[in-house]
Amino acid sequence: FNKTLKLLMLNQWLTVRCVLIPRLKSPGVKRRFRIYSSALLVLQWLTNKDYKGGERFLVKMAAPLTLLVILSVTIRAVLYRSSLAEVISERVEVVSPLTAWKRVVEGLALLDLGVSPYSGDVFHETPLIIYLFHFVVDYAEITFMLADVITAVALYMAVMDYNKQVFRKQKYALEADRYPLDCLELIRSPKEMYYIPLKVAMFYLLNPFTILSCVAKSTCGLNNAVIALFILTTIKGNVLLSAIFLSLATYQSIYPLTLCAPALLYLMQRQFIPVNFRRVSFWWFIAQYAFMYLGSLFVIVGLSFFLLGSWDYVPSVYGFILSVPDLTPNIGLFWYFFAEMFEHFRLFFLCVFQINVFFYTIPLSIKLKEHPVFLIFMQLAVISIFKSYPTVGDIALYMAFLPVWSHLHRFLRNIFLVSCVLLACSALFPVLWHLWIYAGSANSNFYYAITLLFNVAQILLVSDYFYAFLRREHHLSYGLYLKRKDGSEATLVLK
Amino acid sequence: MGLLSDPNRRRALISLLTRLNSPICVVCYMAGVAWFMGLAFEPFTLRTYMSENAMGSTMVEERFPAGERALTTGREFSAHKKKAGGMPVDWLVKTMQARGLEVFTQRFSRKLPFPDENKERYMVKGTNVYGILRAPRAPRTEALVLSAPCTPGDSNNQAVGLLLGLAQYFRNQIYWAKDIIFLVNEHDLIGMQACITFSPDSCRGGSIQAALSLELSSDVITSMDLVLEGLNGQLPNLDLANLFYAFCQKIGVLCTIQGKLQRNDWDSVSGYSHSVQTMMLMVMKQASGRPWGDHGLFLRYHIEAASIKGINSFRQYKTDVTTIGRLLEGMYRKLNNLLERLHQSYFFYLMPSLSHFVSIGYYMPAFGLLAVILLLRALDLWVQLATPPPRTEDGITDKEQVSSPGVLSVLTPLVISHLTGVALYTLPIQFQEMAVEQFPVSETEAVVLTAIGVYTAGLALPHNTHRLLSGEGTEQGWRVLKLVAVLYLAVLLGCTALINFSLGFILALTLVPVAAFVTPHVPKVLSAFILVILSPACTLLFSVFFFQELQELPVSFQEGWLLYLSVISQGILDHFLYGSLVYPLIALLVYPCWLLFWNILFWK
């Protein structure tokens, strides 16, 4: 029954969009249309509500997702067995000194010998990771594949939930007559939103960057899984779990700390707590969240201490992330700059470079106060661009969110240029590496030039999405076809 | 950034680029070719100069006296070679030890994937003999290599004689700061590769800084030829060529590159065409990706190396072995002065003559002009795809047309053409035995003919299967496929040109027009013919004829075809023996990419 209802509904929706809208010229029709569309949306909402039953979800949506998971696991398993795996695990773009599997193995060996794994400046993972692999080292491949699958499924469920909310919000706005009339083509239909969660999972699981990262057994995959679980629990509105996963992510690599801003905004929005500095409820909620976050962080840190019996890991993990002593080339911005710089400027520029990750949180949070999930996307992108040891696995995480913003495509301006540059750069990384390291005919400047270009393209991509998002919001409140005062067509410029 | 954010200016620029797309593309192509041809024009090139400080300013005196004795040693070597029926290992070891070198021998054996008909070998067994002259006053951390190949027959005896003569003379000098390794290698590159990969510390000397390979087959010569092109089109640092040129000038030896003497009349037509020929020869050799001398494999290990060949032609003016010995002595003394690896000068260059060169900054624009055509085409396609189709009067858009073409319709041709590429890469070697059993051909012929067979079969395969799988293709479908193919080609050619400019440029020259003009709406038969003519295999065939023409050894079609077959087998062998990348590049990437365009032409 539900399927037929849904088909019927889609059909009606199309009729509304294609046939009714052009006839909207007369006011009578306008009113009728509004009533009609809100009725339609209520219907939609009711059926959507029906999906909340877990069984329906399993029956309806799980089939393509399972197929996708099986396909991606097969690809990874085949690659693990091929000779490519070794080549990939040596690539500097895929593994960083923090996440390299070779270093984890070294750490495990040291642990088995009864030596602190952090002696010798090779191992820079957190104690929990090394204890995790202490037990599952024989099943490392399965662990990494599982991490990818968990990330994908978590993102899938999170995005599905988020889309439902977006739709509900849109419905209320439509009912409250808040959208200008000419914005009807900006309104999102359930048809185009239906496949977005699946696309998100696909973008993550089939992204070559994720596959490379997984095949290289970069522990970045595990960090991504933790962040994805954090996003899922946040979107589901579970404050405690959200705080716990955020503290886990912070524990893994410090930078996800900035995600607490969107998490707070989202949870407050969900609990109808106004973001107002003079309200007690606002501060009370922040205090609650901070307590949970710090408490779990304290527990994790304490646990790590008791596992190893020393604080060795703090300088070796967090000191390593923050002070960037390892200048192995990677796709980030740090290595070349700090290799070239005079030693006495180092501290100053370290601060300047590191502050980049945290700095954008405040303006972005203010601007995107109403849209915390988009803020999460922006923050993830900023982290993966400006962190000290980025790998392609980090990029894959925020790229998985691109399908969620597929409705912004009409406002994107540089997407062609940016995707061309990203594509070309990804191909040029190994080529220039070969010319520099093996052939000896190029040098580090060539490689860094591509790194720079790659990051500029990423920044352009993110700012393009940012602009498109803001522009759509602007249109939704002021109408799609803006006129200047003199009646000519106006254009929006991001300043 | 104004261009990126100001919508009006962007719109103007994009409309200009889409409106004038075809004329701009034609102009770019012409300009690219013209730029490339201009590279050989002397006023546009730079004179070579020595960049390395340690080799430039210091004076050395050449005193090598023992040319005659070297020739005698060479004759002795020849006699022992004949007696032993191959490398006279014992004699060489004894002779080198008598000259005070630390002598090592190294046996190697290698089975080729299929018999090499050019050099008539299949199971290769041989021995390398090398003697190390220890630097008297230095730690054993750095070394130079002088090698001479031991070839069957009467050639290269003088080279070994001179090598031994130089070893004896060098032994008595006290100024060596680097070990010098005198290497006599058997089975040319196979022996060389065994020697380089044998011990991690590179032939038990220090790390090798530079290497020269000497080929000399006559007692007197008229000129010395310098060979630079190594594996995958890699070139040694330009300073090595400068060094050779400088000493040839100083000692008064005629020197050539690509076997072409330098001419002074650059302003005449014949002078210009002479330098074009020289440059084109270098481009062809570099594009082939194979090592053109025994030095070719050193380059892969970050060692600057070149081959020097003595040429004896009918000219009056002759140079004797003593002079060549002095030339080498001078070069080694300068190399001995090096404080660090050669790195000051260019690694990417083309040489229209030995005294002039074109650096990467000058030749890349020629490629860039060709590559920009692909980007313009891609932009054009993108704009066509992005602008919505015109609305009908009542505002109902045709939903079918708007909906983006299925992923399948793009993915299927991509996957199929790449599978064909994989078949082209693996089948020839896999099926040689079966082919030999079934057909009256030799193994080598079997490999080459299978390759050609798979290549031709690929033309029939993709456009038929894709229709079966994904049904009718749409207008949007081929546009998306072409956009993907054009971007793919652009990235592919760009990467190729960075590693091996010549190969990238030649491929761009033929593939870019294909990529630019192919649509399903052009006349089928004519376009299919043009497409085949410009396909990678035909490019190779034309290159073979062109190369012979450049060398002034024109061949008839029959001979050319045989040469073509042997070039293919050599390419495959080079890949499996030394790791040359040209064959896998063509089979796994370029050919599938070309198939995509073939697919677009037959889009239904």
Side-chain angles (χ1 to χ4, degrees), chain A residues 113-174:
Chain A
L113 289 173
V115 187
S116 161
Y118 298 101
S119 54
D121 198 35
V122 173
F123 180 69
H124 300 289
E125 267 297 348
T126 49
L128 284 190
I129 288 282
I130 197 168
Y131 270 93
L132 170 71
F133 282 114
H134 190 66
F135 296 115
V136 298
V137 69
D138 295 333
Y139 310 102
E141 293 174 4
I142 297 174
T143 314
F144 282 106
M145 288 195 276
L146 199 66
D148 273 8
V149 171
I150 288 175
T151 315
V153 173
L155 288 179
Y156 176 89
M157 286 160 68
V159 168
M160 197 151 73
D161 213 63
Y162 170 66
N163 270 349
K164 262 181 228 162
Q165 289 167 34
V166 168
F167 199 77
R168 204 176 308 151
K169 226 184 256 174
Q170 185 176 286
K171 181 187 70 100
Y172 290 140
L174 266 180

Side-chain angles (χ1 to χ4, degrees), chain A residues 411-419 421 453 455-465 467-468 471 491-495, chain B residues 1-14 379:
Chain A
F411 298 121
L412 292 178
R413 298 162 308 166
N414 301 320
I415 189 74
F416 177 65
L417 178 77
V418 168
S419 41
V421 171
L453 196 61
N455 282 305
V456 167
Q458 280 190 73
I459 292 169
L460 265 181
L461 177 79
V462 173
S463 53
D464 215 16
Y465 268 98
Y467 166 82
R471 185 163 162 196
T491 50
L492 285 180
V493 179
L494 185 71
K495 278 191 178 164
Chain B
M1 284 310 271
L3 201 60
L4 289 178
S5 58
D6 184 354
N8 291 328
R9 255 186 285 170
R10 284 162 60 93
R11 212 173 297 143
L13 183 75
I14 287 173
L379 182 74

